[in-house]
Amino acid sequence: MNSANRTRAFIAVGLLPALLLFVTFVILPILWSAYYGFYDWKGIGKATYIGFDNYAEVIQDPVFWKSLQNNMLIVAASVFGQVPIALVLALLLMKGSRLHTFIRSAVFMPMVLSSVVVGIIWGYIYHPEIGVLNFVLDSIGLGSWKQQWLSDPDVSMYSIMVPIIWNYIGPYLIMFIAALNNIGSDMDDAAKIDGAEGSRKLFSVTLPLIWDTIKVAVVLCISGSLKAFDLIYVMTGGGPAHSTELLASYMYNNTFSIYRYGYGSAVSTTIIIVSLLLVAGSQYLMKRGDRL
Amino acid sequence: MMLRRTKSGIVNGLMIIYALITLYPLIWLFISSLKSNEEFYSRPFQLPTKWHWDSFSRAWKISDMGTSMLNSIIVTALSLVLTLAIGALAAYVLSRFQFRFKLLVMGLFLLGMLIPIHSTLVPLFIMMNQTHLLNTYGALILPYVAFELPIAIFIIQAYMNTFPKEIEEAAFIDGIGYWGIFLRMMLPLSTPALSTVAILAVLRFWNDFSFALVFISKPALKTLPLSLSMFATGYMTDYQLTMAALAMAVVPTIIVYLIFQRSIMQGMIAGAVKG
């Protein structure tokens, strides 16, 4: 075997395992779900081709739109909750003192916990009879503010947002701290000479300089919002009355609770389309932001 | 000067309160696991009057945590080894060789990072059902590795790209083949990138819930998050036991976090930004 052939063989052998696994378990499922989406299929027995009926049903189902809306609410909670909180904390925690490092670690900690654990803990905090939250409200005389935090459809989605925000502040905090430290002290000195201090310095010097990092954080919020399934599943399962349904839980409930594999596949394909649109949309926003 | 010091004192005070609120759910978890069921809701903020250390051993036994912890360890370890081996090999090829379909292959992996894993649950379930892969370790390990590969390859490849070409030329003259270069030079030199990948992967595998929920129904094969969620549903009203089970499940992760804090933070951010 000559050396060119040997190189070619090595390239093939080196890429084969990765490509094989990746194509089989990531790419192929997407193609399959696009295919099954055109069938009415209960998982056993014969699958009947029904054209675009599943997709038409998805689009006409108010629960689907409710789920999509909830996904967007989570995006909003992340963009307007996590990002500003992380930014404020970063401005206060820039210096690497022992206390600051401790607080950073505390804020980041939920990131490494299983969302099942997080979900169960918060489920207990919100519990209407035995939960800490209602207990606190009672003991500080705000008993009238007590809620059925997770079982009242008007409240539950907002209750869900708190643990989601709590859980994911950490990475944004660390990103912002890194960006702030990158600005360096030169810029600080320059700002001081120009007489910019306090809030003026914040808005005219600091924020514009880390604007790119903020944009990255917003994009991450958008793509991250599709991952909230575990927490929702553990805390509410999408209920009550679909009030906390997300696209992923909508897909799960339609497939594995009532065995509509064809319909579930159509929803899966829709989720991919929605998420690609979101990614494309956020990329577009970033680009447009650059020109301004 | 005085004013500035008071100001930073107030800010620090507020920060400490914020940190405590952030940590409170965890602190509460550990304290509650030592309380009786009655104390759990009648005195949620106080320390237990009687410390129920026995709840841990009871929860361990009743939830059969030994089994699920072992399953989690097996699945995480095997997936990690496969991810590192397969990912590093592919990264080496992509970093060091020019070939016709290189851009296509890289584009394919890039596409993989944009796909939300939940959208593959239904088709994967159907595929695994037909190939009798459901309720095996493989049902978790294979998709874990497949979904972790893109980010692993990109992190390792970016790192390998920084090595100078000369190191391999010297090795070639010594008559070491590609495999020798990969195993004896590229792998050891890439240790920092490999450990970043390993940290990200271990956390993701250890904490995964969705795949386990859909692909595993046999009690003997349940991983920790899955068995915890089942246990919490079944023993919802036995707070002491549930809290003890959660606390035990959380301790290993917290210890790992405390040891590798720095690299975990950096790794997760690198992973998030690239992914």
Side-chain angles (χ1 to χ4, degrees):
Chain A
M1 203 155 61
N2 66 33
S3 112
N5 274 341
R6 205 182 308 162
T7 308
R8 220 169 294 154
F10 181 78
I11 292 173
V13 171
L15 286 178
L16 197 66
L19 277 177
L20 204 63
L21 267 175
F22 181 75
V23 170
T24 315
F25 289 94
V26 182
I27 303 293
L28 215 55
I30 297 169
L31 302 178
W32 272 121
S33 76
Y35 170 79
Y36 283 122
F38 293 113
Y39 284 83
D40 179 24
W41 189 38
K42 301 253 172 268
I44 41 167
K46 242 182 84 91
T48 356
Y49 178 79
I50 52 167
F52 279 94
D53 282 8
N54 281 329
Y55 291 96
E57 195 186 332
V58 170
I59 290 176
Q60 281 160 15
D61 186 355
V63 180
F64 168 77
W65 292 104
K66 177 82 193 162
S67 319
L68 185 60
Q69 186 195 335
N70 282 339
N71 265 92
M72 295 303 141
L73 274 175
I74 290 184
V75 172
S78 317
V79 172
F80 299 107
Q82 277 156 18
V83 172
I85 295 177
L87 196 55
V88 171
L89 286 175
L91 287 166
L92 297 172
L93 294 172
M94 269 178 74
K95 306 195 191 73
S97 73
R98 205 169 266 231
L99 177 71
H100 288 183
T101 324
F102 165 73
I103 297 171
R104 275 185 223 174
S105 317
V107 174
F108 198 88
M109 172 95 81
M111 284 299 295
V112 301
L113 302 178
S114 137
S115 31
V116 171
V117 173
V118 171
I120 299 173
I121 297 179
W122 281 87
Y124 276 127
I125 292 178
Y126 281 136
H127 197 287
E129 280 99 45
I130 55 145
V132 186
L133 185 55
N134 277 350
F135 184 91
V136 172
L137 290 175
D138 250 341
S139 52
I140 56 174
L142 290 172
S144 58
W145 289 20
K146 287 203 303 190
Q147 298 284 346
Q148 307 275 327
W149 298 106
L150 292 176
S151 41
D152 180 344
D154 294 330
V155 182
S156 50
M157 195 56 211
Y158 300 98
S159 307
I160 294 275
M161 285 176 182
V162 177
I164 289 178
I165 294 175
W166 172 79
N167 204 137
Y168 298 104
I169 288 180
Y172 303 109
L173 171 66
I174 307 296
M175 272 171 60
F176 289 144
I177 289 179
L180 287 171
N181 285 330
N182 266 342
I183 296 178
S185 49
D186 292 358
M187 208 54 89
D188 269 1
D189 294 341
K192 211 172 266 169
I193 292 166
D194 290 344
E197 258 197 88
S199 61
R200 193 152 149 242
K201 183 184 145 203
L202 176 67
F203 285 106
S204 54
V205 180
T206 314
L207 284 187
L209 279 173
I210 62 163
W211 194 241
D212 281 337
T213 313
I214 297 178
K215 282 198 290 190
V216 172
V218 169
V219 172
L220 288 181
C221 283
I222 294 171
S223 54
S225 69
L226 288 158
K227 294 174 192 148
F229 170 75
D230 299 5
L231 213 59
I232 297 264
Y233 179 87
V234 173
M235 288 176 75
T236 64
H242 302 295
S243 61
T244 58
E245 203 84 81
L246 298 182
L247 290 177
S249 66
Y250 176 72
M251 174 216 73
Y252 180 87
N253 290 334
N254 269 301
T255 315
F256 298 109
S257 317
I258 51 176
Y259 303 106
R260 294 185 64 198
Y261 292 105
Y263 189 69
S265 302
V267 179
S268 303
T269 310
T270 316
I271 293 180
I272 295 176
I273 295 168
V274 168
S275 68
L276 289 181
L277 284 176
L278 278 176
V279 172
S282 55
Q283 293 293 336
Y284 172 75
L285 280 179
M286 300 252 293
K287 288 245 170 60
R288 210 185 59 163
D290 282 343
R291 253 184 277 132
L292 284 176
Chain B
M1 198 58 206
M2 259 309 261
L3 188 74
R4 184 167 287 179
R5 201 169 290 168
T6 352
K7 220 164 116 188
S8 80
I10 294 172
V11 169
N12 281 343
L14 287 176
M15 286 283 101
I16 292 173
I17 294 173
Y18 184 86
L20 287 180
I21 294 176
T22 297
L23 287 180
Y24 186 72
L26 282 178
I27 300 169
W28 176 71
L29 166 69
F30 284 105
I31 295 176
S32 302
S33 61
L34 293 163
K35 281 181 186 168
S36 68
N37 276 327
E38 198 188 15
E39 267 188 319
F40 174 80
Y41 55 87
S42 61
R43 306 168 65 242
F45 290 103
Q46 284 94 330
L47 291 176
T49 41
K50 187 166 169 281
W51 298 68
H52 288 270
W53 294 103
D54 61 303
S55 49
F56 290 114
S57 56
R58 274 177 54 223
W60 179 275
K61 234 178 268 151
I62 296 176
S63 67
D64 195 13
M65 200 178 275
T67 308
S68 52
M69 201 152 293
L70 186 68
N71 285 333
S72 276
I73 291 172
I74 292 173
V75 168
T76 305
L78 288 177
S79 311
L80 175 66
V81 171
L82 282 175
T83 305
L84 288 178
I86 297 175
L89 185 59
Y92 170 50
V93 172
L94 290 173
S95 156
R96 285 318 209 225
F97 296 88
Q98 297 305 326
F99 52 96
R100 208 184 319 161
F101 300 111
K102 186 169 166 175
L103 277 181
L104 183 77
V105 172
M106 287 174 67
L108 200 63
F109 284 127
L110 197 68
L111 183 73
M113 296 206 283
L114 298 177
I115 290 161
I117 55 167
H118 297 116
S119 64
T120 60
L121 286 175
V122 176
L124 273 179
F125 177 85
I126 297 172
M127 280 167 59
M128 288 186 182
N129 196 11
Q130 285 163 348
T131 52
H132 303 287
L133 205 57
L134 290 178
N135 283 315
T136 61
Y137 285 134
L140 297 178
I141 295 172
L142 296 173
Y144 285 173
V145 177
F147 276 93
E148 201 64 22
L149 275 175
I151 189 71
I153 290 173
F154 282 110
I155 291 177
I156 303 171
Q157 189 197 344
Y159 195 78
M160 285 179 172
N161 285 343
T162 63
F163 302 161
K165 279 256 182 254
E166 287 77 35
I167 52 169
E168 289 151 274
E169 280 159 16
F172 263 122
I173 296 165
D174 291 346
I176 304 174
Y178 294 130
W179 284 104
I181 293 175
F182 172 65
L183 291 172
R184 278 188 262 166
M185 295 177 77
M186 297 311 247
L187 270 190
L189 284 173
S190 309
T191 315
L194 293 173
S195 51
T196 303
V197 170
I199 287 167
L200 283 175
V202 165
L203 284 173
R204 194 125 38 158
F205 302 157
W206 185 263
N207 287 334
D208 166 73
F209 178 61
S210 340
F211 283 139
L213 174 71
V214 175
F215 303 147
I216 300 293
S217 53
K218 239 199 210 149
L221 288 177
K222 280 180 180 150
T223 53
L224 205 48
L226 183 60
S227 96
L228 276 179
S229 90
M230 304 277 168
F231 183 70
T233 321
Y235 287 80
M236 197 69 198
T237 47
D238 198 332
Y239 317 111
Q240 185 192 343
L241 273 195
T242 312
M243 288 307 202
L246 290 183
M248 281 188 290
V250 156
V251 166
T253 350
I254 292 185
I255 293 175
V256 169
Y257 174 65
L258 292 178
I259 300 173
F260 297 109
Q261 236 187 86
R262 251 210 140 77
S263 7
I264 289 179
M265 287 181 182
Q266 278 159 5
M268 283 189 125
I269 287 157
V273 173
K274 285 184 184 131

